[in-house]
Amino acid sequence: MNNIALITGVTGQDGSYLAEFLLAQGYEVHGLIRRHSTQNTERIDHILEGPYNGTKFFLHYADTTDSSGLIRLVSEIKPTEVYNLAAQSHVGISFEVPEYTAEATGVSTLKLLEAVRMFGGSCRYYQASTSELFGGIPETAPQSEKTPFYPKSPYGAAKLYSYWITVNYRESYNMFACNGILFNHESPRRGENFVTRKITLAIANILAGKQEKLSLGNMNAKRDWGFAGDYVKGMWLMLQQDKPGDYVLATNETHTVREFVEAAFGQCGIEIKWEGEGVNEKGIDAKTGRVLVDVNPQFYRPAEVEFLWGDCTKAETELGWKRDVDFKGLVAMMMDSDLKEIAGMTCEEYKAKN
Ligand code: NAP
Ligand code: F7E
């Protein structure tokens, strides 16, 4: 049987890595894209410019809030696997567009599940669930598939609906439907308004003399950050099992935003010392005394998820899932990529010059 995948969110960070991964496994890959007034295929242009385009890789206009398009795509493409990655995925922005987030990140999942149930035959289904489901649980232990949920944002609440409707379709209709409960995963392709990419991009601009300082919100928040390329393999593994299930993917490590800042500057040979507290906190270049980081309350959220730390034992033991990139490797990869793009040199080259 030919393996045919349909990916929603193919223009996003994860969609682009997943498309590459599945094409390398010999899949025919179909991506759902929505219409924009400007081109936004930056993350998949290298695939569109390569030999797979039009032979194994196909794009289709649709929108996951529009069930007629989803029905059309599932019936025409007849995918063997559907990966539902599309979402309004920014937690902070979900407070600004809560109703749209409920539609795009919540109810759209039901629309796609219905399309697969009615027209997908034995097609397997992956749902992009999230560690934001754990949200406000107390800072006690790493969070696993057994940890109760407590979403703290319109995004988290919409994803909670998506999680349970996926479980419900599995149990009600015997569908092969899985939730990947993924902790934060990043890469050089991460959207520029997520904190890791905002940090590495700002540092590159500061070092190139194009930006004065980096302004952040809550630097005490702790996240379990992995590499997106490792996580898309886990998504695929979930759909290759004998039985469907829900799995946490994480690194089993947690770091504050402040530690990410230190590590990213450190990668370029700059030591940051911290002075002040709360909105008055400043990150200062230990050598020159220049203020490189400050706090802007504009980036605080109405409610915050303070602590995420994942336990991915189930994925490691049942799926045999492994990661290639650790926290240090992730910071180095992202910092190198942005510095190369903006200043034309790697971190090592920058350090050698300064
Ligand atoms: P991302 O970079 O923000 O990509 C989101 C994708 O969804 C984009 O391709 C976007 O298309 C598409 N999309 C949004 N609304 C849509 C709609 N109404 N119709 C069709 N497409 C739509 O997100 P990501 O980091 O790759 O994450 C992938 C998925 O995993 C998301 O569901 C996210 O919530 C979830 N997740 C992410 C993480 C993480 O740390 N990255 C962790 C847990 C779960 P445009 O390009 O047209 O905007
Ligand atoms: O924030 C704090 C912020 O926006 C991380 C999405 O992929 O992962 C992501 O959601 C932390 C938060 O990611 C700034 O308050 C401080 O505590 O990078 P983020 P997120 O909210 O964790 C989950 C798992 C998903 O599912 C989501 O789709 O960093 N923070 N200062 C800041 N965050 C941002 N964005 N910008 C700041 O200036």
Side-chain angles (χ1 to χ4, degrees):
M1 191 173 74
N2 282 345
N3 288 319
I4 303 172
L6 171 62
I7 304 175
T8 73
V10 74
T11 52
Q13 171 188 255
D14 292 6
S16 66
Y17 283 108
L18 182 63
E20 276 170 14
F21 176 78
L22 294 176
L23 287 165
Q25 307 294 312
Y27 279 62
E28 178 178 311
V29 175
H30 295 258
L32 182 161
I33 57 163
R34 51 183 178 164
R35 189 261 166 186
H36 286 259
S37 61
T38 52
Q39 190 75 0
N40 81 323
T41 51
E42 197 180 300
R43 295 183 179 105
I44 51 169
D45 278 344
H46 60 291
I47 310 178
L48 292 170
E49 283 153 16
Y52 288 128
N53 194 35
T55 59
K56 287 266 191 186
F57 186 61
F58 306 90
L59 295 180
H60 308 266
Y61 280 108
D63 190 301
T64 54
T65 58
D66 172 6
S67 51
S68 61
L70 299 177
I71 289 170
R72 175 174 54 82
L73 290 188
V74 172
S75 2
E76 284 177 11
I77 295 165
K78 299 192 178 16
T80 54
E81 295 172 11
V82 167
Y83 294 86
N84 186 24
L85 309 185
Q88 191 304 91
S89 74
H90 198 285
V91 175
I93 293 172
S94 77
F95 289 96
E96 311 293 324
V97 286
E99 193 178 325
Y100 175 70
T101 303
E103 283 293 335
T105 306
V107 177
S108 289
T109 303
L110 172 67
K111 294 178 183 176
L112 186 52
L113 280 165
E114 266 295 270
V116 172
R117 181 180 76 83
M118 291 190 290
F119 301 101
S122 57
C123 173
R124 298 184 167 200
Y125 177 90
Y126 173 85
Q127 175 58 32
S129 286
T130 167
S131 53
E132 284 293 303
L133 296 174
F134 302 122
I137 61 130
E139 186 166 334
T140 45
Q143 297 133 11
S144 74
E145 296 80 4
K146 297 195 176 103
T147 306
F149 295 144
Y150 181 179
K152 294 275 280 185
S153 64
Y155 170 82
K159 283 286 187 184
L160 185 74
Y161 175 76
S162 285
Y163 174 92
W164 281 117
I165 201 67
T166 301
V167 173
N168 181 255
Y169 268 54
R170 179 168 77 215
E171 292 175 351
S172 306
Y173 305 115
N174 202 23
M175 281 174 63
F176 196 108
C178 301
N179 281 291
I181 308 170
L182 272 50
F183 282 65
N184 298 52
H185 45 279
E186 320 290 313
S187 73
R189 296 184 200 166
R190 185 59 142 151
E192 294 176 8
N193 58 1
F194 294 94
V195 79
T196 54
R197 186 75 201 290
K198 180 174 168 180
I199 293 167
T200 57
L201 204 51
I203 295 175
N205 276 311
I206 292 168
L207 300 187
K210 295 178 182 169
Q211 186 171 332
E212 195 197 324
K213 59 181 166 54
L214 162 67
S215 296
L216 292 169
N218 177 15
M219 286 193 278
N220 296 321
K222 285 183 162 175
R223 289 292 182 275
D224 179 328
W225 281 296
F227 170 53
D230 286 337
Y231 286 51
V232 299
K233 287 184 211 158
M235 298 176 187
W236 174 75
L237 281 170
M238 288 177 212
L239 297 199
Q240 312 314 309
Q241 304 308 303
D242 292 337
K243 285 190 189 147
D246 306 316
Y247 297 88
V248 162
L249 300 185
T251 70
N252 296 4
E253 254 187 71
T254 188
H255 297 273
T256 60
V257 171
R258 193 178 292 99
E259 283 163 4
F260 195 102
V261 172
E262 286 167 3
F265 272 112
Q267 198 60 32
C268 309
I270 297 168
E271 188 197 337
I272 296 290
K273 66 173 192 208
W274 300 98
E275 281 180 9
E277 274 178 31
V279 287
N280 297 317
E281 184 168 6
K282 306 250 182 290
I284 295 166
D285 183 335
K287 207 148 106 195
T288 65
R290 177 178 164 194
V291 173
L292 294 174
V293 188
D294 68 6
V295 174
N296 184 337
Q298 175 198 334
F299 301 113
Y300 288 158
R301 294 171 181 180
E304 176 63 290
V305 171
E306 293 288 352
F307 172 76
L308 291 175
W309 177 25
D311 173 357
C312 59
T313 311
K314 182 180 173 194
E316 286 175 334
T317 50
E318 287 186 18
L319 306 178
W321 180 65
K322 286 201 281 298
R323 296 167 305 282
D324 290 328
V325 181
D326 63 7
F327 177 74
K328 202 170 177 313
L330 174 70
V331 176
M333 178 199 294
M334 292 179 71
M335 202 51 254
D336 257 341
S337 167
D338 278 330
L339 197 59
K340 203 146 194 197
E341 184 67 28
I342 285 160
M345 62 183 110
T346 63
C347 298
E348 282 310 312
E349 286 163 350
Y350 178 84
K351 277 198 280 187
K353 270 183 134 184
N354 289 275

